[in-house]
Amino acid sequence: MAAPILADWIRNQKLKGPAAKSATTFDRNLEEALDVRRRDHALYTLKQNLWREGTAIDFSSSDALSLGASGLLRKEFNRELACYPDLPPGPSSSRIMDGNYQYLEMVEGEIARYHDSQTALFVSSGYDANVAVFSAIPRSGDAILYDELVHASAHDGIQQSQTTCRASFRHNDVESFRDALENVIHSQPLIRLGKRSVIVAVESVYSMDADFCPLQELIDAASEIMPAGTAQFYVDEAHATGIIGPQGRGLVCQLGVQKDVAIRLHTFGKALASSGETVRSALINFARAIIFTTAPGFPVVAAARSSYRLMAAGQTIQAQENIGVLVKYFLDAMASNAAWQKAERQGIVSILVKYDWEQKPPVSHIVPIRTRPRYSYWLVFHLAFAGFITYPVEYPIIPKGQSRVRLAFHAHNTKEQIDDLVSAICSWAQEMVEIELGQDDVNKIPRAAKQVYSSMYSDDGMS
């Protein structure tokens, strides 16, 4: 089981710079840059999804509702394709030229209505959407305030914005947000006079910590401090769409604050839902990520529509509920395991779940396990040998010293699979406790990691 999962990763972590002396300067410089990642065993590689073939158990993919695994989405997608046999499979050009078409606008209208928004705009990806919003919407003289843990694409978009007043506030810290707003009011006279705006960027669910934005509290603080209408919220619902809210409509709809949020990003259909036609028009006219790219093709839009039709028909409600049950089952099992408790007390691991899961099932499908630096790889190796697909999360995705393994649960996972996952994690935790306490005089690194590292320097890789 471990061989196909780890062999490619092992091969790609071997240094190539020393063997590239005879290569061109161009190639040698690139290999030396890649070797920086390889030395930390942190080189990204493209892998086959073994869980699709049934050879490993998936605790990593984004198929939270199991629409892909169950075949529901494919069935609905094929039905949608059959209803429109004459639509071409690919786009003709940019939407501002002749790439726009009636079916696309129809689906955008459906998405807008589903999320109780006035308009929607379909874009190529969540990354493009964030870049489009921040490069097009904030005007000169506006300010951007953002949670320090917003997605990398939001940071990239903010760097491309016209604003010079940009500031972060501590993650999910309402008082830090209030202080940041006060600083903007005092330093920006046009905003103080209500002639410029503050764009507030947050995420409904932060995927690396699995915690929820205190959105209502932030909205209340902005209403109290800012002149009316000058604070406008942009909420990234990428990890909430389909999972949170009535029929997966997201956190904004769950809280009933649609009128208080200017723009929402829903990556289930890669759509930007906005509070009015003005925002949509501004994106079409000013966002280079929309202007200088082809319109989304019919199959892509049809797949998004198929997903929304399943949600609207109530066919994902049971999946939403099952995710909460499974995650709570996992958390309960971990909390009651003696080996885990000991490892947690020793500071080897901890579970990053901020909500009160003992009182009610959590709704997020994500559970991050924080480890000591570099231990994330060791845990992933151990889980791979046990037949589970998981991935370590390290710098630069997260700040240095905050290593973790990000578990993603799915509606199709079973309690038996979770029992096996808990057993595997806790056996690794017990092994690490023994190593750190010096009870294992032979092994200074866990057995799975030792086998992986030794294979890196052999000729045949994993056996």
Side-chain angles (χ1 to χ4, degrees), residues 172 204-207 209-213 239 243-244 323-324 326-328 330-331 351-368 407 409:
N172 278 354
S204 52
V205 179
Y206 292 86
S207 68
D209 290 70
D211 51 358
F212 293 78
C213 174
H239 300 287
I243 308 297
I244 297 174
I323 289 170
L326 291 173
V327 173
K328 186 177 187 300
F330 170 79
L331 294 173
I351 289 181
L352 296 176
V353 175
K354 301 294 192 294
Y355 36 77
D356 189 1
W357 56 268
E358 293 180 321
Q359 298 300 318
K360 59 182 179 179
V363 292
S364 174
H365 63 294
I366 301 165
V367 177
L407 301 177
F409 289 79

Side-chain angles (χ1 to χ4, degrees), residues 156-194:
D156 289 352
I158 290 169
Q159 291 302 313
Q160 298 181 36
S161 72
Q162 298 183 39
T163 65
T164 57
C165 182
R166 312 164 184 169
S168 65
F169 54 92
R170 288 191 300 275
H171 177 54
N172 278 354
D173 189 323
V174 178
E175 288 307 311
S176 176
F177 174 67
R178 294 175 68 92
D179 290 342
L181 282 177
E182 295 283 3
N183 289 337
V184 168
I185 285 286
H186 292 143
S187 65
Q188 306 296 316
L190 290 179
I191 293 176
R192 186 166 61 250
L193 293 172

Side-chain angles (χ1 to χ4, degrees), residues 17 76 101 104 137 166 172 182 188 192 198 230 274 301 314 320 351 360 418 422:
E76 186 68 27
Y101 52 102
L104 173 55
I137 297 303
R166 312 164 184 169
N172 278 354
E182 295 283 3
Q188 306 296 316
R192 186 166 61 250
V198 177
T230 55
S274 66
V301 182
Q320 278 183 264
I351 289 181
K360 59 182 179 179
I418 292 174
V422 170

Side-chain angles (χ1 to χ4, degrees), residues 13-142:
Q13 303 308 315
K14 294 182 179 180
L15 300 181
K16 293 186 178 180
K21 299 300 182 184
S22 60
T24 65
T25 301
F26 176 79
D27 287 335
R28 187 170 63 253
N29 288 342
L30 287 176
E31 290 295 355
E32 289 175 353
L34 291 170
D35 275 353
V36 174
R37 289 275 177 93
R38 293 184 181 111
R39 286 190 186 93
D40 289 334
H41 302 157
L43 185 78
Y44 298 141
T45 60
L46 300 180
K47 314 171 188 67
Q48 296 294 321
N49 291 322
L50 296 180
W51 52 265
R52 292 187 187 277
E53 303 170 3
T55 57
I57 300 173
D58 174 24
F59 280 100
S60 66
S61 79
S62 297
D63 188 22
L65 295 173
S66 300
L67 296 183
S70 67
L72 274 175
L73 181 56
R74 177 171 289 279
K75 184 178 180 180
E76 186 68 27
F77 176 62
N78 287 336
R79 184 184 296 116
E80 185 71 7
L81 294 181
C83 291
Y84 298 89
D86 298 328
L87 283 179
S92 58
S93 68
S94 168
R95 291 190 74 176
I96 65 170
M97 298 178 69
D98 62 356
N100 200 32
Y101 52 102
Q102 183 179 3
Y103 180 86
L104 173 55
E105 291 198 332
M106 176 184 70
V107 174
E108 287 176 335
E110 291 174 352
I111 291 174
R113 289 189 291 276
Y114 192 80
H115 293 289
D116 192 17
S117 178
Q118 293 183 28
T119 63
L121 184 67
F122 207 101
V123 293
S124 299
S125 70
Y127 188 100
D128 286 343
N130 269 328
V131 172
V133 167
F134 289 110
S135 63
I137 297 303
R139 301 287 86 198
S140 178
D142 287 347

Side-chain angles (χ1 to χ4, degrees), residues 298-334:
F298 164 63
V300 175
V301 182
R305 190 187 194 203
S306 300
S307 300
Y308 273 96
R309 286 169 72 95
L310 290 171
M311 290 195 296
Q315 294 193 52
T316 61
I317 294 175
Q318 184 60 51
Q320 278 183 264
E321 294 174 352
N322 199 39
I323 289 170
V325 170
L326 291 173
V327 173
K328 186 177 187 300
Y329 181 82
F330 170 79
L331 294 173
D332 286 338
M334 293 294 291

